[in-house]
Amino acid sequence: EFHVTVNTITAAAWASGGNLNNARRAGGAGSVGTQTTGLVFGGEPITGETEEYDGASWTTGGALNTSRRSIGACGTQTAGLASAGNTAAGNSPTANSEEYNGTSWTEGNNVNSARHYNSSAGLQTAAVTFGGTPSPFVRSENYDGTSYTTGNALNDRHDNVAGCGTQTAGIAVGSGPSAPAFSTAVEEYSGTSWTAVNSTPVGVGYAGIAGTQTSLILQAGAQAQPSLYNTTALGYDGTNWFTQPSIATGRFDLKGSGGTATAAYIAGGAASPGNTNATEEFTGETTSLNLKTLTDS
């Protein structure tokens, strides 16, 4: 009789989740909640609508007080933060900030610089919002749960930026197309200053993101090639970028994303021929040890 240990590897993969109630693009930009406690708010067509995800279906929550798109987003399903954004389909950036308690949104103190297509990282009581347009695309502000304080600038210009992590360990990825077109620039935040780190292998903007500064997944987004509606997903381990399985529905400007590098979700976005309500869930590669008994007869 022999005892053999066998490694069983389950490959990483995307799977369909429950659809949003309403298709949208350019909602909150950042990483909010988890795969089973997700949150999407705002978006285009211009809306203040909020939806909450339980891992199977989306339910309508309390609406933003100021309807808008392209918002810096972070926090959790019961303690979300919406920073800045755009109140019209055109160029109408706002400084408005709101907090969500799982039921309703409450107006807070404004960001110092009105902007949109910014991103955010952290919690409702300890966050950073950064990048965005209009120029100079490098502005950064820390939030303590009450007020925004101007922080050190990014090194590169980032509009339509993806960001996640915490206030003291955040990350900003990409830009496009304004500053510059579909940038490969990546920067890490210490809570005080931004440092340039290894670039993405392709230039990307309007992407979704989930995870931490040292372990994340970057989802879809626009690229100059092969198309705006690409299915690319990339992983990052704090040093290097690597390819992850592609998503099923090519899209950009999704801005509805959250979770971790091994258990993430994306929802909505601009797809062909129009905005999508599709949700996809990512499960990272897993390895399990199985003890088998073999009998020699």
Side-chain angles (χ1 to χ4, degrees):
E1 190 173 273
F2 301 91
H3 299 285
V4 180
T5 300
V6 179
N7 286 338
T8 301
I9 299 174
T10 303
W14 291 91
S16 296
N19 288 344
L20 288 166
N21 293 291
N22 292 295
R24 70 181 86 181
R25 63 184 286 185
S31 183
V32 184
T34 71
Q35 196 179 73
T36 56
T37 58
L39 188 68
V40 167
F41 47 88
E44 187 176 340
I46 300 298
T47 181
E49 183 185 68
T50 297
E51 295 190 40
E52 299 175 2
Y53 193 54
D54 62 6
S57 59
W58 291 90
T59 304
T60 301
L64 288 160
N65 293 284
T66 302
S67 296
R68 52 194 142 142
R69 63 176 175 88
S70 310
I71 311 162
C74 63
T76 68
Q77 188 183 80
T78 56
L81 179 65
S83 303
N86 195 326
T87 59
N91 187 23
S92 299
T94 180
N96 182 273
S97 177
E98 300 185 38
E99 295 181 351
Y100 191 60
N101 64 5
T103 303
S104 59
W105 290 92
T106 302
E107 296 277 354
N109 289 322
N110 287 352
V111 300
N112 293 286
S113 299
R115 67 185 87 179
H116 61 121
Y117 280 118
N118 54 305
S119 194
S120 295
L123 301 173
Q124 189 184 79
T125 55
V128 56
T129 193
F130 47 89
T133 186
S135 183
F137 315 106
V138 296
R139 292 162 297 195
S140 176
E141 299 186 34
N142 290 321
Y143 185 63
D144 63 5
T146 303
S147 303
Y148 289 87
T149 303
T150 300
N152 289 327
L154 292 150
N155 297 285
D156 284 283
R157 304 190 306 166
H158 294 265
D159 78 324
N160 306 294
V161 60
C164 64
T166 68
Q167 187 186 63
T168 57
I171 190 166
V173 183
S175 178
S178 301
F182 307 118
S183 171
T184 61
V186 180
E187 300 189 41
E188 294 180 353
Y189 189 56
S190 66
T192 304
S193 57
W194 293 91
T195 303
V197 294
N198 285 340
S199 299
T200 55
V202 292
V204 65
Y206 303 94
I209 198 168
T212 68
Q213 188 185 78
T214 58
S215 179
L216 65 83
I217 183 166
L218 184 74
Q219 315 124 353
Q223 297 174 9
Q225 296 294 331
S227 75
L228 292 176
Y229 309 107
N230 85 85
T231 59
T232 301
L234 299 171
Y236 181 67
D237 61 10
T239 303
N240 299 309
W241 291 91
F242 50 91
T243 301
Q244 290 281 32
S246 297
I247 64 175
T249 301
R251 61 183 100 180
F252 73 100
D253 219 357
L254 53 162
K255 303 307 187 190
S257 59
T260 68
T262 57
Y265 74 89
I266 55 173
S272 182
N275 296 339
T276 181
N277 64 354
T279 298
E280 297 185 47
E281 299 178 357
F282 179 74
T283 301
E285 180 180 285
T286 58
T287 302
S288 59
L289 299 178
N290 296 304
L291 181 64
K292 293 189 176 183
T293 301
L294 303 178
T295 301
D296 184 4
S297 58

